[in-house]
Amino acid sequence: MCSGSFAKCLGITLIPLAIACVLCNILLFFPSGESVDRDNITEEVWYFGGILGSGVLMIFPALVFLGLKNNDCCGCCGNESCGRSFAMLSSMLFAAVGVLGAGYSVIVSSVALSHGPKCGTATNVTNWVYPFSNGDYLSNKDIWSLCVEPAGVVSWHLSLFSVLLVMGLIQAVLCGVQVLNGLLGALCGGCGCCGGVSIYSIV
């Protein structure tokens, strides 16, 4: 199994993950599925961690990985291995972009989970605030009742940002694997055959 084929598998995996992250970020603009004033939307949602980090910035590496199986044998100066190596090296750069994008999404999601949702409380329904601090609500479900508007906003916030966090970590790992795969592919001309050692025997 050549490096290009393995990269294609990674690309196929990254695309649905990126789409799911974009959808999660979009859903966060509608707390508990309700349309609210933009000032009442949790601040971290506006950082577009799922749309930009795990979405747009992940599509480019995914598309490059998908094309490697067909494009890593173009050759250069009559040397087919040279073309493969160049293709794998370029995939490493896009994989690094993917790691940065996924990392950004993970950081935003982590901050959002610690910060908690913006919601209306029993004492202040119209002027929404952040009733939680330092992630205290994560280990104490009893205080979720502090948020009364919209209903179920805490579980909505927690679920979607948790999904973004986990998917971002998976994307970062997959792109990190492609960095190693690209390095071995570049050294071995794209087929992972340096002395019998390949990324596939490692992972």
Side-chain angles (χ1 to χ4, degrees):
M1 182 179 185
C2 288
S3 299
S5 298
F6 183 72
K8 182 177 181 179
C9 293
L10 294 179
I12 292 174
T13 305
L14 285 173
I15 287 181
L17 289 176
I19 294 174
C21 287
V22 170
L23 292 177
C24 284
N25 202 147
I26 292 175
L27 288 174
L28 284 165
F29 282 102
F30 303 94
S32 293
E34 299 180 15
S35 179
V36 300
D37 188 86
R38 61 177 298 153
D39 293 333
N40 290 335
I41 296 175
T42 303
E43 180 182 0
E44 288 77 17
V45 177
W46 294 103
Y47 295 162
F48 300 107
I51 294 177
L52 292 179
S54 288
V56 175
L57 288 181
M58 200 58 59
I59 290 296
F60 294 113
L63 293 178
V64 170
F65 300 166
L66 286 173
L68 280 178
K69 180 174 175 57
N70 296 324
N71 296 333
D72 65 356
C73 298
C74 58
C76 61
C77 300
N79 189 331
E80 184 177 290
S81 294
C82 172
R84 290 174 175 173
S85 298
F86 179 79
M88 297 310 294
L89 284 174
S90 65
S91 77
M92 291 174 61
L93 297 178
F94 282 95
V97 172
V99 171
L100 292 176
Y104 174 72
S105 180
V106 168
I107 292 173
V108 171
S109 299
S110 299
V111 172
L113 288 172
S114 177
H115 204 187
K118 191 174 187 179
C119 61
T121 62
T123 58
N124 199 348
V125 177
T126 57
N127 187 22
W128 290 16
V129 296
Y130 295 96
F132 310 118
S133 61
N134 300 321
D136 53 356
Y137 73 102
L138 296 174
S139 58
N140 186 3
K141 193 173 182 178
D142 293 335
I143 63 176
W144 288 17
S145 58
L146 290 175
C147 280
V148 297
E149 182 66 29
V153 66
V154 179
S155 57
W156 183 272
H157 176 95
L158 180 59
S159 299
L160 291 175
F161 271 116
S162 294
V163 170
L164 285 175
L165 176 64
V166 172
M167 288 190 176
L169 290 173
I170 294 174
Q171 289 174 328
V173 170
L174 292 178
C175 288
V177 169
Q178 176 54 27
V179 171
L180 296 177
N181 179 52
L183 179 60
L184 289 178
L187 294 175
C188 306
C191 288
C193 52
C194 292
V197 179
S198 71
I199 184 69
Y200 323 111
S201 62
I202 296 176
V203 300

